[in-house]
Amino acid sequence: MSAELHSHHSAPPVELMIPSSCAAETKKSPTRRTTTGGGIMAPSLFKAASQQPRGRRGGVFATKEVASAAGSCAMYVACSTLMVLTNKWLASTLAVNAHVSLLMMQNAVATFLVSSCKTVGLVDYANFDRKVAARWFPVNIYFVAMLATSFVAMRYLSVPMITVFKQLANLLTVSGERYFFGKPVSKGVALSFATMIAGAALAALNDLEFSFEGYFWQGANCVCTSAYVLYLKYATKTVQLSKFAMVFYNNLLSLPLLLVIAVANGEPAALWDAHRNGKIDATFFAVNGLAGAVGFFLNLASVWCVSATSATTYAIVGALNKIPVTILGYLLFHTAISKDMALYISVSLVGGFLYSFEQLRQQWHAPGGVVLLPRESPRDTGGIPSPPPSSGGGQAPSSY
């Protein structure tokens, strides 16, 4: 959850470092610049497809470029989908009330992985700074709330309904941007929201597995996700962090906060008793660790996807990714869905695609033609909003 990336929200854009070999070409022929991620030193394997100027590639270079683009999109879709499904399985099979402890374990895995990747040179960000950590801690509170509410909602709601209602966080985010930052709302965005809301409301009314608790926690998650994205936009005006620095600080700073909450709720003792009594086995903890790892690799996949393809491709893949997530969630968890409910879910998903398209259209027509990618989520986890921050091991909301 230390999300979806999972894909969705408008957060402050930041730039990818342009490979030096392409600098001359960039100066000679100004083109639309794609930005994302924030001061990231893109891993060398992600740069490979960019080393030859576009338009002059042929033969083996063209083949490598296509392979890199296809591989990056496949990795992004696979990580985003697996993250949602593993967390749904964990939440729905958890025998005791220990959601916070599971999140803490996932974030610990993500912290270890991002630190290890920095050590071997796969990613790069500034070393830990206490002053930066202190200034970033308020952001982390929203981050933890976003992850916790998402995980609890998964216990009660089906994957299709979570996918549909997760989109409504965009409505709160856009409303907040209009109120706090004076950002106008276009007719296209308004139409996409009307489609999303109508589809989601009708799907909920026809939900054969209706759960008041589930919709309550999903509503709380939408509020927390929107608050996280809006506060992130405010905070990044004074604290400049790269994408992977956000992954590092979000997950690291969440650990003491989650530990205090878990201990106060008696979760460690409950988990130990459940394990000793055979209610939770080693496989459960292994899957939980996998969820944390997948959330982190979703961040890597998003960087690779943007560098190997384009901002447009990345956004479209994130929007279309909801389809396999919804279908697999329905099949794997034996969700009861009527024909009417399936229709309304489809309508809401179309609204989400229209929203992504409208955001891209506005950004392409912005002064300078710069495409500003919303941060993802990402885990849903933790932490990449958009097509998001991800649930688990990330920087912002999940990419549902």
Side-chain angles (χ1 to χ4, degrees):
M1 304 195 224
S2 53
E4 210 152 27
L5 178 270
H6 257 179
S7 52
H8 291 38
H9 304 277
S10 322
V14 276
E15 297 185 5
L16 271 176
M17 296 178 66
I18 302 175
S20 57
S21 61
C22 298
E25 179 188 341
T26 304
K27 291 179 180 178
K28 290 179 181 178
S29 15
T31 57
R32 297 181 187 274
R33 186 174 67 244
T34 301
T35 68
T36 186
I40 304 169
M41 181 176 290
S44 58
L45 73 99
F46 298 164
K47 292 180 181 179
S50 304
Q51 297 300 317
Q52 293 294 321
R54 293 185 184 276
R56 299 180 185 178
R57 301 173 190 158
V60 67
F61 290 115
T63 302
K64 287 183 177 180
E65 180 178 326
V66 172
S68 179
S72 66
C73 291
M75 181 179 175
Y76 175 78
V77 170
C79 288
S80 179
T81 302
L82 184 59
M83 184 184 65
V84 174
L85 298 179
T86 52
N87 278 301
K88 170 60 180 175
W89 182 82
L90 289 166
S92 59
T93 59
L94 183 61
V96 294
N97 182 22
H99 305 87
V100 175
S101 295
L102 295 186
L103 285 176
M104 183 175 64
M105 295 176 198
Q106 290 188 16
N107 289 5
V109 170
T111 303
F112 171 77
L113 288 175
V114 71
S115 300
S116 298
C117 287
K118 174 179 169 61
T119 300
V120 300
L122 187 60
V123 301
D124 185 53
Y125 55 88
N127 293 329
F128 178 80
D129 187 314
R130 290 183 180 180
K131 293 182 179 179
V132 172
R135 294 166 66 186
W136 193 255
F137 189 72
V139 178
N140 195 255
I141 294 176
Y142 289 107
F143 174 74
V144 169
M146 176 186 70
L147 298 187
T149 52
S150 175
F151 200 86
V152 176
M154 282 189 168
R155 184 178 182 88
Y156 302 101
L157 290 185
S158 65
V159 172
M161 293 309 298
I162 288 173
T163 304
V164 164
F165 274 85
K166 194 76 175 176
Q167 298 182 126
L168 299 185
N170 291 321
L171 172 61
L172 298 179
T173 301
V174 169
S175 299
E177 287 182 330
R178 186 175 187 277
Y179 180 80
F180 293 110
F181 305 110
K183 182 178 178 179
V185 179
S186 69
K187 293 180 179 178
V189 168
L191 175 62
S192 68
F193 282 147
T195 306
M196 279 192 283
I197 294 172
L202 291 171
L205 290 174
N206 288 270
D207 189 354
L208 302 179
E209 300 175 352
F210 185 89
S211 168
F212 176 79
E213 286 181 284
Y215 284 104
F216 170 80
W217 285 111
Q218 186 56 55
N221 177 248
C222 288
V223 173
C224 292
T225 299
S226 180
Y228 171 78
V229 173
L230 292 171
Y231 194 81
L232 182 69
K233 186 171 185 176
Y234 166 77
T236 49
K237 290 182 178 180
T238 57
V239 183
Q240 298 297 322
L241 292 177
S242 71
K243 185 175 196 174
F244 286 103
M246 286 188 187
V247 173
F248 174 70
Y249 279 103
N250 273 339
N251 287 282
L252 178 66
L253 296 179
S254 72
L255 297 180
L257 182 58
L258 290 170
L259 178 61
V260 170
I261 298 173
V263 172
N265 291 336
E267 291 189 8
L271 272 178
W272 174 251
D273 288 340
H275 177 62
R276 187 176 56 183
N277 296 329
K279 295 181 179 179
I280 297 178
D281 57 15
T283 301
F284 184 88
F285 290 109
V287 173
N288 191 54
L290 173 65
V294 170
F296 167 70
F297 285 114
L298 176 61
N299 291 295
L300 286 180
S302 67
V303 175
W304 185 18
C305 186
V306 173
S307 62
T309 59
S310 67
T312 303
T313 301
Y314 175 69
I316 291 175
V317 170
L320 294 178
N321 187 49
K322 300 186 188 79
I323 298 174
V325 170
T326 301
I327 294 175
L328 287 174
Y330 160 70
L331 295 175
L332 294 177
F333 297 100
H334 307 290
T335 306
I337 295 181
S338 65
K339 291 182 179 180
D340 288 343
M341 183 179 174
L343 173 62
Y344 300 138
I345 288 174
S346 301
V347 169
S348 186
L349 292 179
V350 169
F353 184 81
L354 290 176
Y355 172 73
S356 298
F357 175 79
E358 180 63 16
Q359 291 291 91
L360 279 175
R361 189 191 66 80
Q362 290 180 17
Q363 290 162 2
W364 275 111
H365 288 82
V370 179
V371 176
L372 305 179
L373 283 178
R375 294 188 190 281
E376 164 154 8
S377 66
R379 146 205 131 288
D380 249 125
T381 214
I384 274 185
S386 43
S390 87
S391 312
Q395 153 210 343
S398 146
S399 51
Y400 291 155

